[in-house]
Amino acid sequence: MLLARYAIGPVKLYAGYENIQFANPNTPLAAGSTIIGGYTLGTVNNTAFTNNKDLQVFWTGAKYAVSSEIDLSAAYYHEEQNSFQGNGCTNNTFAACSGQLDAVSFLADYRFTRRFDVYAGIMFSHVANGLSNGFLNTSTIDPTVGLRFQF
């Protein structure tokens, strides 16, 4: 994972990249093996990934302090999954086909005391190809509103 943050006066810029790899274990475990915490494994799947799954996640965003009480934020997120189906598929027939997720979010946060704030935000997201397998809607708009107390 690589992360970055940079502040210029009332503006903070953020960016990140993460590469997640899913693969079969190099040292397989057998049923009955004892693991950390003293737990005994009842069943084990050491062959879940015939082909390695590679998920890459990118994000960037900015937060602007309008005043000492009000912050506005915006962000963009992107996920890219390789095809680990084995046939190089690029559609949504299987969840193991290559796929993408894109999302954009906006947030307004108002602190009316040191410990209380209220926020409102919205996120638009879209999934495609393998990552959209099983979704009823491939595009969504998700609003949120909340009141928060911080200890």
Side-chain angles (χ1 to χ4, degrees):
M1 180 185 295
L2 297 172
L3 303 170
R5 184 179 88 170
Y6 185 73
I8 309 167
V11 176
K12 290 183 181 174
L13 304 172
Y14 302 90
Y17 168 78
E18 185 174 8
N19 187 340
I20 306 166
Q21 296 178 342
F22 300 87
N24 293 329
N26 292 331
T27 309
L29 295 173
S33 297
T34 302
I35 60 170
I36 296 172
Y39 297 100
T40 302
L41 299 176
T43 61
V44 178
N45 184 353
N46 291 310
T47 59
F49 296 98
T50 305
N51 299 300
N52 292 350
K53 176 181 178 181
D54 189 25
L55 181 65
Q56 297 181 69
V57 183
F58 309 85
W59 66 93
T60 186
K63 181 163 85 169
Y64 175 63
V66 176
S67 68
S68 60
E69 295 89 22
I70 300 173
D71 291 333
L72 300 176
S73 301
Y76 169 74
Y77 312 87
H78 178 78
E79 290 183 20
E80 190 78 32
Q81 170 185 287
N82 71 320
S83 173
F84 58 101
Q85 175 70 19
N87 61 4
C89 59
T90 59
N91 55 38
N92 71 346
T93 306
F94 300 104
C97 293
S98 65
Q100 306 80 29
L101 174 141
D102 289 289
V104 178
S105 66
F106 302 97
L107 178 76
D109 190 4
Y110 173 65
R111 290 175 297 284
F112 50 91
T113 70
R114 183 173 163 240
R115 298 193 180 274
F116 276 105
D117 67 319
V118 63
Y119 58 88
I122 191 163
M123 177 180 267
F124 169 78
S125 63
H126 177 76
V127 289
N129 302 324
L131 281 178
S132 69
N133 179 274
F135 278 70
L136 295 176
N137 298 303
T138 57
S139 295
T140 61
I141 296 175
D142 307 302
T144 187
V145 176
L147 178 68
R148 177 173 40 210
F149 176 78
Q150 298 180 20
F151 294 93

mmCIF file with all atom_site columns, all heavy atoms in Angstrom, residues 20 64 88 100 138:
data_model
loop_
_atom_site.group_PDB
_atom_site.id
_atom_site.type_symbol
_atom_site.label_atom_id
_atom_site.label_alt_id
_atom_site.label_comp_id
_atom_site.label_asym_id
_atom_site.label_entity_id
_atom_site.label_seq_id
_atom_site.pdbx_PDB_ins_code
_atom_site.Cartn_x
_atom_site.Cartn_y
_atom_site.Cartn_z
_atom_site.occupancy
_atom_site.B_iso_or_equiv
_atom_site.pdbx_formal_charge
_atom_site.auth_seq_id
_atom_site.auth_comp_id
_atom_site.auth_asym_id
_atom_site.auth_atom_id
_atom_site.pdbx_PDB_model_num
ATOM 1  N N   . ILE A 1 20  ? -3.840  -5.961  -3.724  1.00 0.00 ? 20  ILE A N   1
ATOM 2  C CA  . ILE A 1 20  ? -4.196  -7.105  -2.893  1.00 0.00 ? 20  ILE A CA  1
ATOM 3  C C   . ILE A 1 20  ? -4.131  -8.353  -3.767  1.00 0.00 ? 20  ILE A C   1
ATOM 4  O O   . ILE A 1 20  ? -4.773  -8.416  -4.818  1.00 0.00 ? 20  ILE A O   1
ATOM 5  C CB  . ILE A 1 20  ? -5.620  -6.935  -2.326  1.00 0.00 ? 20  ILE A CB  1
ATOM 6  C CG1 . ILE A 1 20  ? -5.737  -5.603  -1.593  1.00 0.00 ? 20  ILE A CG1 1
ATOM 7  C CG2 . ILE A 1 20  ? -5.978  -8.098  -1.411  1.00 0.00 ? 20  ILE A CG2 1
ATOM 8  C CD1 . ILE A 1 20  ? -7.162  -5.193  -1.296  1.00 0.00 ? 20  ILE A CD1 1
ATOM 9  N N   . TYR A 1 64  ? -11.496 20.553  2.125   1.00 0.00 ? 64  TYR A N   1
ATOM 10 C CA  . TYR A 1 64  ? -11.323 21.995  2.196   1.00 0.00 ? 64  TYR A CA  1
ATOM 11 C C   . TYR A 1 64  ? -12.008 22.519  3.456   1.00 0.00 ? 64  TYR A C   1
ATOM 12 O O   . TYR A 1 64  ? -13.206 22.298  3.653   1.00 0.00 ? 64  TYR A O   1
ATOM 13 C CB  . TYR A 1 64  ? -11.918 22.665  0.956   1.00 0.00 ? 64  TYR A CB  1
ATOM 14 C CG  . TYR A 1 64  ? -11.881 24.171  0.997   1.00 0.00 ? 64  TYR A CG  1
ATOM 15 C CD1 . TYR A 1 64  ? -10.669 24.850  1.036   1.00 0.00 ? 64  TYR A CD1 1
ATOM 16 C CD2 . TYR A 1 64  ? -13.055 24.911  1.012   1.00 0.00 ? 64  TYR A CD2 1
ATOM 17 C CE1 . TYR A 1 64  ? -10.633 26.241  1.082   1.00 0.00 ? 64  TYR A CE1 1
ATOM 18 C CE2 . TYR A 1 64  ? -13.031 26.294  1.054   1.00 0.00 ? 64  TYR A CE2 1
ATOM 19 C CZ  . TYR A 1 64  ? -11.804 26.949  1.087   1.00 0.00 ? 64  TYR A CZ  1
ATOM 20 O OH  . TYR A 1 64  ? -11.768 28.319  1.147   1.00 0.00 ? 64  TYR A OH  1
ATOM 21 N N   . GLY A 1 88  ? -9.777  -15.689 -19.189 1.00 0.00 ? 88  GLY A N   1
ATOM 22 C CA  . GLY A 1 88  ? -9.607  -14.294 -19.573 1.00 0.00 ? 88  GLY A CA  1
ATOM 23 C C   . GLY A 1 88  ? -10.907 -13.558 -19.824 1.00 0.00 ? 88  GLY A C   1
ATOM 24 O O   . GLY A 1 88  ? -10.931 -12.581 -20.568 1.00 0.00 ? 88  GLY A O   1
ATOM 25 N N   . GLN A 1 100 ? -14.428 -3.806  -12.844 1.00 0.00 ? 100 GLN A N   1
ATOM 26 C CA  . GLN A 1 100 ? -14.053 -2.489  -12.339 1.00 0.00 ? 100 GLN A CA  1
ATOM 27 C C   . GLN A 1 100 ? -15.149 -1.934  -11.432 1.00 0.00 ? 100 GLN A C   1
ATOM 28 O O   . GLN A 1 100 ? -16.314 -2.257  -11.598 1.00 0.00 ? 100 GLN A O   1
ATOM 29 C CB  . GLN A 1 100 ? -13.831 -1.477  -13.473 1.00 0.00 ? 100 GLN A CB  1
ATOM 30 C CG  . GLN A 1 100 ? -12.857 -1.885  -14.535 1.00 0.00 ? 100 GLN A CG  1
ATOM 31 C CD  . GLN A 1 100 ? -13.464 -2.836  -15.545 1.00 0.00 ? 100 GLN A CD  1
ATOM 32 O OE1 . GLN A 1 100 ? -14.646 -2.820  -15.820 1.00 0.00 ? 100 GLN A OE1 1
ATOM 33 N NE2 . GLN A 1 100 ? -12.639 -3.711  -16.089 1.00 0.00 ? 100 GLN A NE2 1
ATOM 34 N N   . THR A 1 138 ? -26.199 -1.894  -11.269 1.00 0.00 ? 138 THR A N   1
ATOM 35 C CA  . THR A 1 138 ? -24.756 -1.676  -11.411 1.00 0.00 ? 138 THR A CA  1
ATOM 36 C C   . THR A 1 138 ? -24.351 -0.249  -11.084 1.00 0.00 ? 138 THR A C   1
ATOM 37 O O   . THR A 1 138 ? -23.175 0.031   -10.919 1.00 0.00 ? 138 THR A O   1
ATOM 38 C CB  . THR A 1 138 ? -24.279 -2.032  -12.830 1.00 0.00 ? 138 THR A CB  1
ATOM 39 O OG1 . THR A 1 138 ? -25.011 -1.260  -13.770 1.00 0.00 ? 138 THR A OG1 1
ATOM 40 C CG2 . THR A 1 138 ? -24.469 -3.519  -13.104 1.00 0.00 ? 138 THR A CG2 1
#
